[in-house]
């Protein structure tokens, strides 16, 4: 059996439960009130709510810090240059874990009786390796052994995190989102060293895929990989076992369309970032996803598969938006997704 067929069979076997015409967010929300964020997300997104991230609270609530707090037997602290691996847990690790507990408490409060999909996110192994420094100041990406250790630690931490979410929301089908905005840069050798004068060597595609597969294997539920960077490697993510790929529609190029067509035909869900992530005028909902309909026609895909294959999201996280716009953007995603279901042509 070919690698392509193996990935396609895995995707079909792991069909998500959110149904046609679904919408969700990417991860971050503005402000620092966990209860308000959870209330907004769960109230706006009945089909596919998610655990919000609130990076405005500071280090430990940011994307790298939050995931560093999930690691097992690997610790990190904040330096002026960013997050750095530590010998033991310190104040920054404790703060990251405390904020995650606060977020889970709020989510649990507003998901009482929830049954169905519920999305949680963490940084994937390669963005983590690019974002965490070793003791000498260079990124963990510079050390193959450190990358392997981080991947194993992340996998163990995610198993515990997913178990905790399932315990708190027993009716949930937990969807894991891995945030990998640095993946393309890692694959192309474009991540800059600490000095800024050179870049780290590109990581072999087989090694990239293997680490992603190891982390994806921690759950039997659906896994989505998100990147709001250009050049999302759709084929690599599918081979690694991702059930869905989340991307910014405005960054899509014509050269990526064939890979998207193959992904859809293989059963991969597309989380399409079609709504601006920062304050901007919002068009009518159907207009926001006109590009998706156009893409479907250009690829010769059946209109009947559109609403089942596409989940509408903001282009990226909403941390940089105003609270009012964040609420409006999520509601707009819901209406845009519904328009795809009602009128896929």
């Amino acid at each position: 059996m070919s690698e392509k067929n193996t990935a396609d069979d895995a995707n079909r076997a792991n069909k998500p439960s959110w149904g046609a015409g679904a919408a969700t967010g990417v991860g971050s929300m503005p402000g620092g009130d966990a209860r308000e964020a959870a209330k907004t997300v769960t109230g706006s997104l009945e089909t596919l709510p998610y655990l919000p991230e609130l990076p405005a609270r500071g280090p430990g609530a940011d994307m790298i810090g939050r995931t560093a707090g999930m690691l097992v037997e690997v610790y990190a602290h904040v330096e002026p240059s960013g997050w750095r691996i530590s010998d033991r847990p310190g104040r920054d690790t404790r703060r990251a874990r405390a904020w995650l507990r606060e977020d889970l408490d709020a989510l649990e409060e507003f998901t009482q009786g929830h049954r169905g999909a519920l999305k949680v996110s963490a940084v994937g192994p390669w963005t983590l390796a690019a974002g965490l420094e070793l003791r000498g100041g260079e990124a963990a990406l510079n050390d193959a052994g450190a990358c392997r250790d981080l991947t194993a630690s992340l996998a163990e931490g995610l198993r515990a995190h997913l178990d905790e979410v399932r315990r708190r929301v027993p009716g949930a089908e937990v969807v894991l989102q891995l945030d990998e905005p640095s993946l393309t840069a890692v694959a192309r050798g474009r991540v800059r060293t600490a000095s800024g004068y050179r870049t780290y060597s590109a990581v072999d595609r087989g090694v990239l895929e293997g680490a992603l597969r190891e982390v994806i294997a921690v759950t039997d539920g659906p896994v989505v990989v998100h990147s709001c960077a250009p050049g999302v490697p759709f084929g690599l993510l599918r081979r690694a076992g991702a059930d869905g790929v989340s991307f910014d529609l405005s960054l899509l190029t014509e050269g990526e369309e064939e890979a998207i067509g193959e992904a859809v035909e293989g059963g991969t869900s597309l989380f399409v970032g079609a709504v601006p992530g920062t304050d901007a005028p919002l068009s009518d909902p159907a207009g926001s996803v006109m590009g998706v309909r156009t893409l479907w026609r250009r690829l010769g895909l059946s209109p009947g598969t559109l609403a089942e294959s596409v989940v509408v999201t903001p282009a990226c996280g909403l941390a940089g938006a105003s609270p009012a716009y964040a609420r409006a953007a999520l509601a707009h995603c819901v209406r845009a997704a519904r328009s795809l279901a009602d009128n896929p042509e």
Side-chain angles (χ1 to χ4, degrees), residues 1-343:
M1 184 179 290
S2 70
E3 287 185 352
K4 178 180 181 298
N5 289 338
T6 300
D8 291 350
D9 289 346
N11 283 326
R12 283 193 291 269
N14 208 18
K15 194 67 176 176
S17 67
W18 49 75
T24 191
V26 172
S28 65
M29 290 287 285
D33 188 329
R35 291 188 73 257
E36 183 61 30
K39 181 180 179 181
T40 297
V41 166
T42 56
S44 301
L45 304 165
E46 295 182 4
T47 305
L48 186 47
Y50 64 97
L51 176 65
E53 300 170 356
L54 300 172
R57 292 181 296 195
D62 61 296
M63 186 171 71
I64 295 293
R66 181 173 185 165
T67 300
M70 298 180 191
L71 298 177
V72 174
E73 296 183 356
V74 175
Y75 313 105
H77 67 277
V78 178
E79 292 280 345
S81 55
W83 284 90
R84 183 171 295 182
I85 292 174
S86 307
D87 292 325
R88 59 184 64 85
R91 178 182 61 186
D92 296 325
T93 296
R94 290 191 294 270
R95 181 168 52 201
R97 292 174 176 175
W99 271 330
L100 180 56
R101 286 193 300 271
E102 181 181 309
D103 294 338
L104 288 169
D105 288 344
L107 182 73
E108 183 178 5
E109 177 182 351
F110 290 100
T111 53
Q112 294 296 311
H114 175 77
R115 302 195 67 81
L118 174 66
K119 183 164 68 70
V120 301
S121 57
V123 174
W126 294 110
T127 297
L128 192 64
L132 268 182
E133 299 175 355
L134 299 172
R135 292 172 182 83
E138 294 295 343
L141 184 62
N142 194 45
D143 184 318
C147 290
R148 289 192 294 270
D149 291 345
L150 271 181
T151 297
S153 176
L154 176 62
E156 287 303 308
L158 281 175
R159 284 191 184 93
H161 178 54
L162 295 173
D163 286 345
E164 175 71 3
V165 174
R166 294 185 187 105
R167 184 187 67 78
R168 288 171 176 262
V169 192
E173 177 194 30
V174 181
V175 179
L176 173 61
Q177 175 180 300
L178 295 176
D179 292 317
E180 281 284 15
S182 298
L183 178 60
T184 301
V186 170
R188 296 178 179 177
R190 294 179 180 173
V191 178
R192 292 200 170 274
T193 60
S195 69
Y197 293 120
R198 62 182 184 87
T199 58
Y200 297 111
S201 299
V203 177
D204 180 81
R205 292 263 168 159
V207 176
L208 291 174
E209 185 180 321
L212 286 165
R213 187 181 296 112
E214 181 178 345
V215 175
I216 287 171
V218 304
T219 177
D220 293 330
V223 178
V224 178
V225 179
H226 166 74
S227 175
C228 51
V232 177
F234 289 91
L236 183 150
L237 296 177
R238 290 178 57 231
R239 289 193 301 273
D243 302 288
V245 180
S246 173
F247 61 96
D248 182 344
L249 179 63
S250 70
L251 299 179
L252 192 67
T253 65
E254 188 175 339
E256 295 168 289
E257 291 185 0
E258 182 179 350
I260 285 185
E262 291 178 354
V264 172
E265 291 175 345
T268 303
S269 296
L270 302 180
F271 284 57
V272 179
V275 176
T278 54
D279 293 42
L282 294 173
S283 66
D284 69 284
S288 293
V289 287
M290 185 58 68
V292 183
R293 291 189 178 90
T294 301
L295 174 64
W296 235 247
R297 287 194 295 269
R298 199 156 55 232
L299 292 174
L301 296 169
S302 168
T305 66
L306 180 53
E308 294 181 353
S309 300
V310 169
V311 176
V312 178
T313 76
C316 205
L318 294 167
S322 66
Y325 178 81
R327 289 191 294 271
L330 292 180
H332 192 84
C333 288
V334 171
R335 291 193 293 270
R338 192 172 298 132
S339 79
L340 289 180
D342 292 343
N343 183 21

